[in-house]
Every structure is written in structure tokens, then in C-alpha cells.
């Protein structure tokens, strides 16, 4: 395999076709179902599926026997299923399967975009493509096919490849288990799983994700009255719903340090992950935290860089992501409000059950309500995290060499703070599979937030790495 030809082919395809496709994809406001209850009626998800499926079909002629199907189970979001038979050589190694995964649904708009940018307004500035979903995770189907097309261009053999692109990941992938079960016989037993929905510590080298946190969360509501009343009349008599809610949250989170209080939400961090966190902190330095758009004078929770890495990868952390029951400032009268609601997002360690964490959280918040207030916590989501199995020697070597070839720097390993429910599911179903989890979400790319961007050179290089690793997988499988 000629790595320079891989580089040239992939880069050319990205420039000529993939970036223009992503520009059109960004224009589509196909928010995940959790953020668009009328996603079916709006039809945006179908538009995104049609765009990706049309481009992919136009490329499948390069692969003998390849097929694409948009699978649509009743009442569920669609899924793009692409099956590419083993190419190039018959015999040993052709009975193994490589699964390449991504998603096409998007997070909501979020406020704070720059004046010349917007979630559904694709803008290219230098080597960055701005807009919602390009990096998280619209590029995955294009990058996966670019990798396989680069191998075909050289006649490099590879094992059977299955590409799965779901449309529910940003809502917790609640539809995906049904599709995995529905397609189980067709998917087979993956020997290698490639996921392009993760992050990178910088844009200078390949980053492999070694773990993913799980999550649980929902809506916490405290109600004290049937209707709002004059604050001058009721304050000091009727407890504030906001104060009670604040008290309840202190059961979960220390308000002074942000540390999660209950020991039930922690796990013992494996020694290897602690060591990897230390090495990642050494590589990144202050980029561990200064990638975030802090206001002037703001500091991270600690100046210990290793602790910061562990905090965002192996420790539980709480974010309050929404609020209800509060009027806007310009229409807030002197009223003691009847209720306050907040949306909680609790990240949990990779090896802690998301379902068990959710049950614990509900009991913790609802029991013994102060003053007898009406307290409800409605669970919306739960998903367990994932801790990667040890890399096989061939994969570790392949990753190291690919990073040097296409990035010119050694590969790096680090956990990620986000969740990819598909990884935990596949890890349970296929415990013998090897995993290559990587992505393009690096410093300032700001997935889920304003000014999200795809770093185009990293997208290209990740595609090149995938091509290299898929080819190396076939070589290894052929020895068995």
C-alpha cells in the first residue's frame, strides 16, 4: 500500500466532493428527536438521510456486490445500512467483518454564534467548516467511504465492511438497539469496530479514545404552590421553590467545589487510565483547559492538569442544561413562583451502569422533600459508558505507524467525557472485537455549542488512518 497515494486520493475526494456535501448537510436542521418532537412532520431527518444515501450510492459501483439500504423500523428514526463485501482477495481473512459507525442527527441551535455564523449556515474560514453537525458527526459516512475508496483505487484488499449511520445518537441512541437486533444476522460478528464520533486532544496527532463516560439525567421539579403569589405577602412564610431545589442539588453536588457527593456514583479508576491521563496532560499542557472560551479572569477547577483530565473522563460531573418556571428578566414581577424546574445532565464513570445511576439519582432527589414540597425527578435518558479492551499488538502497531504516516507525530491515548451509547452496546455484544475510536472534535471545535466547526485537515487525516488500519486488519486476519 502506497501511503502517499492514500493521502492524495483522500485529500482530493474531500476537496472535490465531501466538503461540498457537508456544506449542504449543515444547511439541514435535522435536530435529534429529543430536541424536535415533530421531526417526522418536518422531514429534515429524511432530507439528511437522502443527501448522504444519494452520495454513498454514487460511490458503491467501485465495490463488487455492495449495497445500501435505508432501514426504517415503524415508529423509529431511520438508519443507513451499507454492506461492502470483502474486496481484492478470496480466502483467509475474508470472513471477518469491520463495522464503521457514525450518526447524522444534530444537537439544537444554541445561542451565542458569531454574527457571520449560524448552526444551519455553513461557512468555510481557512481550514475550518463552521456549522452544526459537520464534525459531530456528519463527516463519518463520507470519511468511512473515502477510506474504503482509497483502498479500492490501489487494489488493496480488505475484509467485509458494514457502515451503520444512525439518526438518534444525540437523544441517547434509544432506537439503535432495535436496529442492531433487527440487523444482527446481517451484521454478523465484528472483528474490528471503527467509530468516528469522538474527540482529539489536538490537531497534531491521532488520538484514540480509551473510554467514554456514561450519562443519566432528566427534569427535576419542585412545586410549592398551585399558583404564584405576591412575594411581599408570601416570602418568609412560603419556602421558595428555588431554595428547595438548590438544597436538593446539594445532595448531589458540593456547591463550593462541584464535586459529586455520593460515593455510589464513583468507581475505582484503572491504573492504566490514570497513567494515560498523566501522559495526555503532559502532551497537552494548558490546552487541557484553555481550549474553552473562559471569560477574562476565570480559572479551571484545579491547576492539576492530570486531575482535570480524570475529572472529565472518569469522574461523575453535573451540568444544569435547562431551566423552567422562571420568566425572562424583563417580565419577572415581584412574584413568589409556584415551581422551579431544571434539566440535569449527569456524566457517570465509564464502568458504572447508567441505568443504576439513574435509579439512584431519582431516589436521592425525591426522598424526604424539604417542607413537604412536591418534588419529582423525571428520568429522560440513561446510558452506560465504555472502557476499551486492550489493543491487540497488530492494532497498536498499525495505529502508531498510521499516526506517523499521516500526522507526522505519535498516536496519543485519552478517555473522553462524552457518551457514545453504541460503543457500550457493541462492547457487550461483541467482547472479542477490537475498537478504533477517534474523531475530529478538537480544541475550540465546540460540538453542541455555538461556532461548532470541522477541522478539515484532521477529517482528511482521520480518513487516511481508517484506510490504513482497515488494510492492516485484513493482513492480520489473513494470517489466522
Amino acid at each position: 500500500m502506497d501511503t502517499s497515494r492514500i493521502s492524495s486520493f483522500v485529500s482530493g475526494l474531500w476537496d472535490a466532493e465531501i466538503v461540498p456535501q457537508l456544506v449542504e448537510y449543515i444547511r439541514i436542521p435535522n435536530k435529534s428527536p429529543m430536541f424536535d418532537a415533530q421531526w417526522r412532520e418536518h422531514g429534515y431527518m429524511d432530507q439528511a438521510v437522502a443527501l448522504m444515501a444519494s452520495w454513498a450510492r454514487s460511490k458503491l459501483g467501485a465495490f463488487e456486490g455492495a449495497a445500501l439500504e435505508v432501514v426504517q423500523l415503524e415508529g423509529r428514526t431511520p438508519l443507513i445500512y451499507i454492506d461492502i463485501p470483502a474486496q481484492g482477495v478470496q480466502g483467509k481473512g475474508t470472513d471477518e467483518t469491520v463495522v464503521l459507525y457514525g450518526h447524522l442527527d444534530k444537537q439544537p441551535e444554541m445561542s451565542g454564534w458569531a454574527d457571520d455564523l449560524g448552526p444551519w449556515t455553513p461557512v468555510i474560514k481557512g481550514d475550518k467548516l463552521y456549522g452544526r453537525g459537520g464534525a459531530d458527526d456528519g463527516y463519518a459516512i463520507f470519511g468511512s467511504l473515502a477510506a474504503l475508496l482509497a483502498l479500492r483505487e490501489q487494489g488493496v484488499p480488505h475484509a467485509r465492511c458494514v457502515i451503520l449511520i444512525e439518526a438518534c445518537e444525540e437523544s441517547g441512541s434509544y432506537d439503535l438497539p432495535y436496529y442492531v437486533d433487527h440487523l444482527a444476522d446481517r451484521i454478523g460478528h465484528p472483528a474490528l469496530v471503527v467509530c468516528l464520533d469522538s474527540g482529539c486532544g489536538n490537531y497534531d496527532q491521532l488520538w484514540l479514545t480509551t473510554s467514554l463516560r456514561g450519562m443519566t439525567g432528566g427534569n427535576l421539579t419542585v412545586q410549592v404552590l398551585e399558583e404564584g403569589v405576591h412575594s411581599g405577602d408570601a416570602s418568609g412564610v412560603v419556602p421558595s421553590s428555588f431554595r428547595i431545589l438548590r438544597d436538593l442539588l446539594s445532595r448531589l453536588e458540593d456547591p463550593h467545589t462541584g464535586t459529586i457527593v455520593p460515593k455510589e456514583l464513583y468507581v475505582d479508576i484503572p491504573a492504566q487510565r490514570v497513567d494515560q491521563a498523566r501522559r495526555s496532560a503532559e502532551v497537552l499542557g494548558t490546552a487541557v483547559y484553555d481550549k474553552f472560551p473562559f471569560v477574562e479572569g476565570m480559572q479551571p477547577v484545579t491547576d492539576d492538569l492530570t486531575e482535570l483530565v480524570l475529572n472529565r473522563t472518569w469522574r461523575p460531573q453535573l451540568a444544569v442544561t435547562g431551566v423552567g418556571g422562571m420568566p425572562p428578566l424583563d417580565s419577572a414581577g415581584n412574584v413568589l413562583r409556584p415551581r422551579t424546574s431544571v434539566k440535569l445532565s449527569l456524566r457517570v464513570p465509564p464502568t458504572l451502569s447508567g441505568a443504576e445511576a439513574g435509579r439512584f439519582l431519582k431516589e436521592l432527589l425525591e426522598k424526604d422533600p424539604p417542607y413537604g414540597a412536591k418534588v419529582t425527578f423525571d428520568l429522560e435518558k440513561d446510558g452506560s459508558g465504555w472502557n476499551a479492551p486492550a489493543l491487540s499488538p497488530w492494532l497498536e502497531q498499525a495505529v502508531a505507524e498510521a499516526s506517523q504516516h499521516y500526522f507526522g507525530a505519535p498516536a496519543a491515548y485519552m478517555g473522553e467525557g462524552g457518551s457514545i451509547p453504541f460503543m457500550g452496546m457493541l462492547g457487550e455484544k461483541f467482547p472479542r472485537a477490537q475498537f478504533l475510536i477517534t474523531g475530529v472534535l478538537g480544541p475550540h471545535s465546540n460540538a453542541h455549542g455555538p461556532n461548532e466547526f470541522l477541522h478539515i485537515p484532521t477529517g482528511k487525516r482521520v480518513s487516511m488512518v481508517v484506510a490504513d488500519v482497515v488494510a492492516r486488519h485484513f493482513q492480520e486476519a489473513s494470517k489466522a
Side-chain angles (χ1 to χ4, degrees), residues 289-300:
Y289 64 84
D290 63 19
K291 65 178 182 177
F292 300 111
F294 283 114
V295 297
E296 185 177 355
M298 184 68 183
Q299 300 291 324

Side-chain angles (χ1 to χ4, degrees), residues 201-202 281 283-292 305 443:
N202 56 37
V283 169
L284 295 173
T286 59
V288 168
Y289 64 84
D290 63 19
K291 65 178 182 177
F292 300 111
L305 299 179

Side-chain angles (χ1 to χ4, degrees), residues 428-468:
E428 290 181 3
K429 287 182 176 292
F430 308 111
R432 297 174 60 185
Q434 288 285 289
F435 290 84
L436 175 67
I437 316 300
T438 188
V440 298
L441 294 168
H444 310 291
S445 58
N446 213 22
H448 301 194
N451 307 323
E452 176 184 337
F453 68 75
L454 165 66
H455 188 251
I456 295 171
T458 299
K460 294 178 179 180
R461 292 180 185 125
V462 166
S463 302
M464 298 168 195
V465 167
V466 172
D468 207 305

